[in-house]
Amino acid sequence: MFDKPISATVTVLAALGAVAAAMLALRSRASSGDRGAVRTTAYDFGVVVQGQPVEHVFSFRNERGAPLAVDTVVTSYAAAAATALDSVVPAGGDGRVRVSLYTKYMKGQVNAFAKVRFRDEGARPVWVQLRGRVVAPVEIAPRERVYFFTVKGEGPHQEVLVINHQDRPLALLGAASDNANFQVRTETLEAGQRYRLTLALDPATPPGRDSAIITVRTDSPEYRTLTILGRAFVDDIVSTSLSKIDFSQVSYDHLDMQGVGDKIVLVRKYRGTDFQVLKATTDVPCIDVEVVPQKRGETFLVNVSIVKRRAPHGDIRGTLRIETNDPAFRELTLPITGRIM
């Protein structure tokens, strides 16, 4: 599979999606008679395997009433090469650009752009877009990282696929995790081609952050081992959005500006129904604390603010204490640090 090069009409320029979208929006507002603007054209090359060349010739129309002399074809993507096949595009005629994309070191979604510039400064450039996906010969889908955002006792699981794009069959010889909290199980979906890995987090995993490296062994000489990284972020049943209140360095003159001397702590009970924050206090004299209910029986906000008129210059050290009605979490404590300059 994927044993023949793809021939398509493309020119490639790697760009951030948001920036590219903004540029496209600006160009789309230009009328066809405005400085000879021409529309942006996109091409989707589908899915190719790393190392498979993508080459295409892209055509564009000169909608001006005069010929256009091509100046340069610009790509900022290191793996792209572009050549104008027509140095001069006649009025009302079509111009062509050949573009090649080197995919050996690429992986993932491609959303790239290229620009054809003309010698006439009044002529708007032509933009072309390339879309598609480059996959490894042995692909781990949808990604090689697995994240668990969960609560102690839940024990979630996620699935990833091992997909073989090689010409020869692939067999899995085993899978193992270097962390007992991350468990892995394999299943054959299509012998030699597709396998499912189920990664599960032990419900007893303690609150905090945890990680694992999952190693998958295969019979492929080129891909003997595949690696999946696991990350877990485990909250307790009652948790706070911050582990500490750190104001870092705060300018005294700016303390009366909104947000400068303020911190917000979200206090939450997972699947709570009658949870309450009864009170929040601090031993730092220059700080005021306010409790604000959010979702009934489940979440509260604790607003922590430095009061300028009481704020001294120098270090801030103390503790925020949050009292709740939960028998297992009567009091939550967060250290307070910072410095007023």
Side-chain angles (χ1 to χ4, degrees):
M1 64 182 62
F2 300 107
D3 56 348
K4 295 182 180 180
I6 287 183
S7 181
T9 313
V10 298
T11 328
V12 186
L13 174 66
L16 294 174
V19 175
M23 292 190 296
L24 288 174
L26 289 173
R27 287 193 293 278
S28 67
R29 289 196 292 267
S31 66
S32 61
D34 180 17
R35 298 175 60 196
V38 291
R39 63 181 178 274
T40 299
T41 308
Y43 176 78
D44 192 327
F45 64 83
V47 178
V48 300
V49 177
Q50 285 177 333
Q52 179 182 354
V54 174
E55 183 176 294
H56 219 84
V57 175
F58 214 136
S59 298
F60 60 90
R61 175 63 57 90
N62 175 14
E63 297 180 353
R64 291 166 58 92
L68 279 174
V70 175
D71 185 17
T72 55
V73 182
V74 181
T75 67
S76 65
Y77 202 80
T83 304
L85 299 182
D86 301 286
S87 58
V88 177
V89 184
D94 292 334
R96 297 168 300 156
V97 178
R98 178 192 292 124
V99 181
S100 301
L101 180 63
Y102 185 64
T103 64
K104 183 175 181 179
Y105 300 106
M106 299 176 62
K107 187 165 64 174
Q109 290 297 133
V110 174
N111 187 23
F113 292 81
K115 179 168 66 173
V116 181
R117 293 172 174 168
F118 303 101
R119 294 180 185 178
D120 184 348
E121 294 182 357
R124 290 183 179 273
V126 171
W127 290 81
V128 295
Q129 180 189 14
L130 176 70
R131 297 191 299 260
R133 189 163 64 95
V134 179
V135 299
V138 178
E139 177 189 7
I140 298 177
R143 61 188 63 86
E144 298 169 354
R145 293 176 179 264
V146 173
Y147 296 92
F148 294 104
F149 297 91
T150 186
V151 174
K152 182 181 177 181
E154 283 293 286
H157 70 274
Q158 292 191 36
E159 296 177 349
V160 298
L161 298 178
V162 176
I163 305 172
N164 179 28
H165 297 293
Q166 300 177 108
D167 293 332
R168 63 179 295 275
L170 176 80
L172 296 194
L173 304 180
S177 169
D178 68 349
N179 184 336
N181 289 332
F182 293 75
Q183 301 154 7
V184 57
R185 177 171 54 87
T186 64
E187 177 185 359
T188 301
L189 300 180
E190 181 183 351
Q193 299 300 323
R194 295 171 64 89
Y195 301 87
R196 177 160 51 213
L197 273 63
T198 302
L199 281 68
L201 188 68
D202 191 327
T205 302
R209 298 186 177 187
D210 207 349
S211 63
I213 298 177
I214 292 88
T215 303
V216 182
R217 295 182 295 109
T218 83
D219 68 344
S220 170
E222 297 84 6
Y223 302 93
R224 292 188 182 278
T225 60
L226 309 173
T227 301
I228 301 171
L229 301 180
R231 297 287 186 269
F233 302 83
V234 183
D235 283 338
D236 225 326
I237 298 299
V238 175
S239 63
T240 58
S241 59
L242 299 177
S243 59
K244 62 180 179 179
I245 309 296
D246 183 11
F247 288 100
S248 189
Q249 293 187 352
V250 183
S251 170
Y252 177 85
D253 294 335
H254 295 159
L255 280 175
D256 50 2
M257 297 176 60
Q258 185 176 6
V260 172
D262 303 322
K263 297 289 183 181
I264 300 175
V265 182
L266 175 68
V267 185
R268 175 177 182 255
K269 180 172 182 178
Y270 182 66
R271 293 181 178 174
T273 56
D274 58 354
F275 176 69
Q276 293 184 49
V277 171
L278 303 176
K279 183 171 63 173
T281 60
T282 179
D283 54 2
V284 181
C286 67
I287 288 180
D288 280 352
V289 178
E290 178 189 23
V291 176
V292 181
Q294 289 296 295
K295 187 175 181 180
R296 183 179 179 87
E298 185 174 342
T299 58
F300 288 75
L301 295 181
V302 178
N303 297 323
V304 182
S305 304
I306 300 175
V307 181
K308 183 176 181 179
R309 67 177 182 274
R310 301 202 306 264
H313 287 76
D315 292 336
I316 299 174
R317 295 288 184 273
T319 304
L320 173 66
R321 290 182 169 80
I322 302 171
E323 297 180 22
T324 83
N325 67 338
D326 189 284
F329 299 89
R330 288 295 187 187
E331 184 179 82
L332 308 171
T333 60
L334 280 69
I336 298 175
T337 60
R339 184 175 180 82
I340 301 175
M341 308 298 290

